[in-house]
Amino acid sequence: MANDLAKVPSPSICVQLCGDMHVSNFGFFSTAEHQLVFGINDFDETLPGNFDWDLKRLTASAIWKCSFNVEPLWLRKFYF
C-alpha cells in the first residue's frame, strides 16, 4: 500500500504506520481497565514508513467520504 506514496517527497521521520488509514478505521473500543476510548481499531496492515503517509491517506478518505454527503450545486436547481 505504500508504493504510491513512496515516490512523493516526504519528511524522513519514520514511524510505525497504521497502513490502512481511513475514516472507517476509527471507532470506540474498551480497554482492559473497562474504559471506553476512541481511536484506530484496525492494525492488520501496519508497516514502517514516513509519518505523513497515514495523514495523506486519512485526508483523502475524509474528502472522499464527505463527497457523498454534499449535494452538487447543479442538482439543487431541480428542487426549487
Side-chain angles (χ1 to χ4, degrees), residues 30-63:
S30 179
T31 66
E33 296 82 22
H34 304 290
Q35 297 291 318
L36 189 62
V37 294
F38 179 80
I40 303 170
N41 57 19
D42 183 9
F43 293 98
D44 62 340
E45 297 180 20
T46 184
L47 72 159
N50 295 346
F51 81 97
D52 63 323
W53 294 358
D54 268 350
L55 296 176
K56 290 174 182 177
R57 291 187 188 282
L58 180 59
T59 302
S61 172
I63 291 170

Side-chain angles (χ1 to χ4, degrees), residues 3-4 7 17 20 27 32 50 52 56 59-60 65 71 73:
N3 188 36
D4 58 339
K7 299 174 183 106
L17 301 172
D20 189 21
N50 295 346
D52 63 323
K56 290 174 182 177
T59 302
K65 183 70 172 173
E71 183 180 296
L73 291 175

Side-chain angles (χ1 to χ4, degrees), residues 3-14:
N3 188 36
D4 58 339
L5 293 173
K7 299 174 183 106
V8 177
S10 176
S12 59
I13 301 172
C14 191

